[in-house]
Amino acid sequence: MPTDDLVSTLRVTAVVRLSPHLVRVTFAGVGLTGTGTWPDQQLKLCFPRPGQAEPRVPAADPSEVMRWYQAFMAIPDDERPWMRSYTVRAHRGSEIDIDFVLHPDAGPATRWAAKAQVGDVLARYGPSRVYHQALPKGQDHLFAGDLAALPAIATLLGSLPEDATAQTFVEIPTPDDAQVLSRPVTWLSRDGAPAAGSPLLLDAVSRAEVTEDTVVWLAGEAAVVRSLRRHLVERGVPKSRIQFTGYWRHTLTQDDAPTAEDLAEAQERVAR
């Protein structure tokens, strides 16, 4: 893959408010046709600092990941873009759709998405197939996550064979945040209550039917994901059948240092 497929600027071509807490932004960019497509396709978005027309990114070879990241971190703090991880909701040649959750405690990504307009510019690193992890083979699936996990869940459901089964649980802030997907979903609305401490996902998953052959995919707030995984392992689902990712952390951002739990999770995912 050409190295310039990994990094480029992205220009906003459309903005659609999907629901009270979700906005879809369509981007066009050079190199997207060379990245390929697959379910749960991840990339990094770089958001400009105040006063910047577009984010500043390194000229270092992006195929040398650590060297590129070191060059990124060497950019002065007040000029270095905020970097956040997102899932591609749809990929059409030189265009991609990204769905942004509008969190109440708005960070730089939420602030940007709430005001996004056609012509705005971000930068990207990825998507790279190096980081793609295919689901384990199996016919029976369980997907669980929150609104941040919805884009990935949608693409994973759309990739399943017709004869596969899927139990899907998605926690959402309000009923109006539900969507029509390719397969049935159990929507768990908090009815406007805070996400912190919500038992909805764990309660729903605890009632789901699982076996040692069930393929499980979990994502969302890190502590919730760990609780879901522990519960399913205790019910006999092998760890090798569970893919899990903590997308975000209460009171912490991706700029904050990882916790001991974050590091342990990362080490286990790498080991798998």
Side-chain angles (χ1 to χ4, degrees):
M1 181 173 61
T3 57
D4 60 358
D5 285 347
L6 282 172
V7 176
S8 77
T9 55
L10 295 171
R11 189 170 299 275
V12 177
T13 58
V15 181
V16 178
R17 187 68 171 264
L18 297 177
S19 72
H21 299 91
L22 208 61
V23 61
R24 176 168 296 167
V25 181
T26 300
F27 298 94
V30 175
L32 287 173
T33 55
T35 63
T37 61
W38 56 88
D40 190 14
Q41 190 175 42
Q42 306 287 321
L43 81 169
K44 302 285 189 181
L45 293 179
C46 299
F47 297 84
R49 291 280 179 170
Q52 295 177 335
E54 60 183 65
R56 177 182 169 185
V57 294
D61 183 352
S63 67
E64 297 288 340
V65 178
M66 290 308 300
R67 185 173 299 175
W68 187 91
Y69 186 69
Q70 288 171 354
F72 176 85
M73 293 303 296
I75 298 172
D77 289 350
D78 59 347
E79 298 179 24
R80 186 170 64 245
W82 290 287
M83 182 184 286
R84 297 291 186 267
S85 300
Y86 280 89
T87 303
V88 177
R89 178 62 179 83
H91 192 156
R92 301 175 299 277
S94 61
E95 274 194 338
I96 57 174
D97 293 338
I98 304 289
D99 291 355
F100 292 84
V101 178
L102 302 179
H103 297 283
D105 48 344
T110 294
R111 293 195 298 268
W112 181 91
K115 298 179 179 179
Q117 298 180 351
V118 172
D120 288 350
V121 177
L122 297 185
R124 67 175 176 89
Y125 187 101
S128 172
R129 196 174 287 275
V130 171
Y131 302 104
H132 172 51
Q133 187 177 17
L135 290 175
K137 299 294 183 182
Q139 290 296 104
D140 178 40
H141 299 76
L142 187 150
F143 300 100
D146 57 19
L147 196 58
L150 180 54
I153 289 174
T155 62
L156 289 164
L157 288 175
S159 73
L160 295 180
E162 289 187 7
D163 59 347
T165 62
Q167 302 172 84
T168 305
F169 305 95
V170 180
E171 182 180 312
I172 52 178
T174 70
D176 290 336
D177 290 304
Q179 297 181 11
V180 177
L181 300 185
S182 60
R183 288 174 179 255
V185 172
T186 299
W187 300 100
L188 308 169
S189 174
R190 299 195 305 272
D191 295 320
S198 171
L200 291 176
L201 270 177
L202 185 56
D203 288 348
V205 170
S206 68
R207 294 191 296 270
E209 295 183 7
V210 295
T211 71
E212 62 181 13
D213 295 321
T214 302
V215 176
V216 177
W217 187 95
L218 310 169
E221 198 280 322
V224 172
V225 168
R226 285 192 287 268
S227 295
L228 290 171
R229 181 171 177 264
R230 282 195 299 268
H231 168 78
L232 289 166
V233 170
E234 290 170 358
R235 290 180 61 189
V237 181
K239 291 182 179 180
S240 62
R241 306 290 285 173
I242 303 175
Q243 285 192 12
F244 65 104
T245 306
Y247 277 171
W248 58 283
R249 303 172 294 172
H250 283 302
T251 74
L252 298 174
T253 74
Q254 290 184 16
D255 295 322
D256 295 307
T259 65
E261 291 86 355
D262 296 329
L263 292 173
E265 174 186 318
Q267 288 176 347
E268 185 164 356
R269 292 179 65 212
V270 169
R272 293 183 65 244

